[in-house]
């Protein structure tokens, strides 16, 4: 099955700086790559996703890039704010099965 | 719409007890799934369902059963609770399997002593 690895496990940034989280996946057939944000004590919520026919997608201060050849994708958060402090999960799924595989998560702390 | 709801929010069980975690959605989603979340391990898929009457195993199915008799409900049963099942459990649903946004419930925090 799919194996998703996520780095780093923790990330501390100064407010206003950028944050980058990287994920790799193992199944070359995977074609859907969402990112979820989970605030403390809350449920995970989708913040952005990308499909394999697209190399980059942006939504205001967040962007995701995908490199199918290298089988990795990344989340970029620019101009970080205190409300960006949360755990971020990457995930991948293949059309060959009905499973969404998650990375282990990155705890992002934005220092004021 | 209430979205995805889960009950209970908290539960403490003794080893060997059984219980059912309830999950319901009112969005007419075909796909429903159960995850467990443990520190440093992300969200691991327990069981999933692609429609009423159809269920299948995920990554960590041992010790859990599911059924899907209606589109709306997807209960998770712990057959004989063990301390290793102490975790936070999330139910999720989506319009189609996986390649669409997963909507998560608020979670159930389970402690097995």
């Amino acid at each position: 099955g799919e194996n998703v690895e996520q780095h780093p496990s923790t990330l501390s940034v100064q407010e206003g700086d950028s944050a980058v989280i990287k994920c790799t996946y193992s199944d070359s057939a995977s074609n859907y790559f969402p990112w979820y944000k989970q605030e403390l004590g809350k449920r995970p919520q989708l913040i952005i996703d990308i499909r394999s026919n697209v190399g980059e997608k942006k939504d205001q201060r967040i962007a995701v890039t995908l490199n199918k050849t290298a089988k990795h994708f990344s989340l970029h958060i620019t101009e970080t704010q205190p409300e960006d402090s949360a755990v971020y999960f990457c995930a991948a799924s293949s059309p060959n099965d009905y499973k969404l595989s998650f990375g282990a998560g990155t705890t992002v702390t934005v220092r004021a | 719409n209430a979205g995805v709801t889960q009950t209970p929010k908290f539960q403490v069980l003794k080893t060997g007890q059984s219980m059912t975690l309830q999950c319901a959605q009112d969005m007419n989603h075909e796909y429903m799934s159960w995850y467990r979340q443990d520190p440093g391990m992300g969200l691991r898929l327990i069981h999933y369902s692609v429609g009423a009457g159809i269920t299948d195993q995920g990554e960590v199915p041992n010790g859990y059963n599911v059924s899907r008799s209606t589109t709306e409900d997807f209960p998770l049963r712990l057959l004989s609770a063990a301390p290793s099942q102490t975790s936070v459990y999330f139910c999720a649903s989506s319009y189609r399997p996986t390649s669409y946004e997963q909507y998560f419930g608020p979670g159930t925090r389970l402690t097995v002593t």
Side-chain angles (χ1 to χ4, degrees), chain A residues 80-97:
Chain A
T80 53
Q81 300 170 5
E83 53 263 37
D84 295 328
S85 295
V87 180
Y88 293 81
F89 294 98
C90 62
S93 73
S94 163
N96 299 330
D97 62 35

Side-chain angles (χ1 to χ4, degrees), chain B residues 82-94:
Chain B
S84 61
Q85 294 178 304
T86 293
S87 187
V88 178
Y89 292 84
F90 287 100
C91 178
S93 75
S94 68

Side-chain angles (χ1 to χ4, degrees), chain A residues 32-36 45-50 57-59 62-64 75:
Chain A
Y32 177 65
F33 307 93
W35 287 86
Y36 285 82
Q45 290 188 299
L46 180 73
I47 54 171
I48 195 167
D49 57 11
I50 191 168
K57 185 177 179 181
K58 286 184 178 181
D59 183 3
I62 60 173
V64 57
L75 178 72

Side-chain angles (χ1 to χ4, degrees), chain B:
Chain B
N1 286 353
V4 181
T5 58
Q6 288 183 239
T7 56
K9 290 187 177 181
F10 303 95
Q11 182 70 51
V12 179
L13 291 178
K14 294 186 187 302
T15 297
Q17 288 184 317
S18 63
M19 78 159 297
T20 299
L21 306 185
Q22 301 292 343
C23 174
Q25 52 91 11
D26 61 359
M27 297 175 282
N28 202 31
H29 284 169
E30 291 187 1
Y31 184 83
M32 297 186 73
S33 54
W34 277 101
Y35 294 89
R36 60 177 289 174
Q37 183 175 27
D38 303 292
M41 302 188 76
L43 294 151
R44 293 184 292 167
L45 183 65
I46 304 172
H47 285 286
Y48 65 94
S49 169
V50 299
I54 306 170
T55 64
D56 206 344
Q57 297 181 350
E59 182 184 354
V60 288
N62 292 343
Y64 308 95
N65 273 356
V66 291
S67 60
R68 184 96 179 269
S69 56
T70 67
T71 299
E72 295 78 20
D73 301 298
F74 191 44
L76 178 73
R77 282 183 289 277
L78 279 70
L79 309 173
S80 176
S84 61
Q85 294 178 304
T86 293
S87 187
V88 178
Y89 292 84
F90 287 100
C91 178
S93 75
S94 68
Y95 178 59
R96 286 281 190 268
T98 64
S99 296
Y100 288 81
E101 178 176 1
Q102 299 283 309
Y103 292 84
F104 285 85
T108 295
R109 184 173 293 275
L110 175 69
T111 302
V112 183
T113 61

Side-chain angles (χ1 to χ4, degrees), chain A residues 27-88:
Chain A
D27 186 352
S28 57
S30 288
N31 64 351
Y32 177 65
F33 307 93
W35 287 86
Y36 285 82
K37 175 183 179 182
Q38 185 179 30
E39 297 176 352
L40 189 63
K42 304 290 188 181
R43 70 191 80 186
Q45 290 188 299
L46 180 73
I47 54 171
I48 195 167
D49 57 11
I50 191 168
R51 300 179 191 276
S52 59
N53 59 345
V54 175
E56 183 176 1
K57 185 177 179 181
K58 286 184 178 181
D59 183 3
Q60 299 183 340
R61 295 186 298 107
I62 60 173
V64 57
T65 58
L66 172 65
N67 184 326
K68 288 188 293 182
T69 303
K71 291 191 283 188
H72 69 69
F73 56 112
S74 300
L75 178 72
H76 304 253
I77 307 173
T78 59
E79 301 173 19
T80 53
Q81 300 170 5
E83 53 263 37
D84 295 328
S85 295
V87 180
Y88 293 81

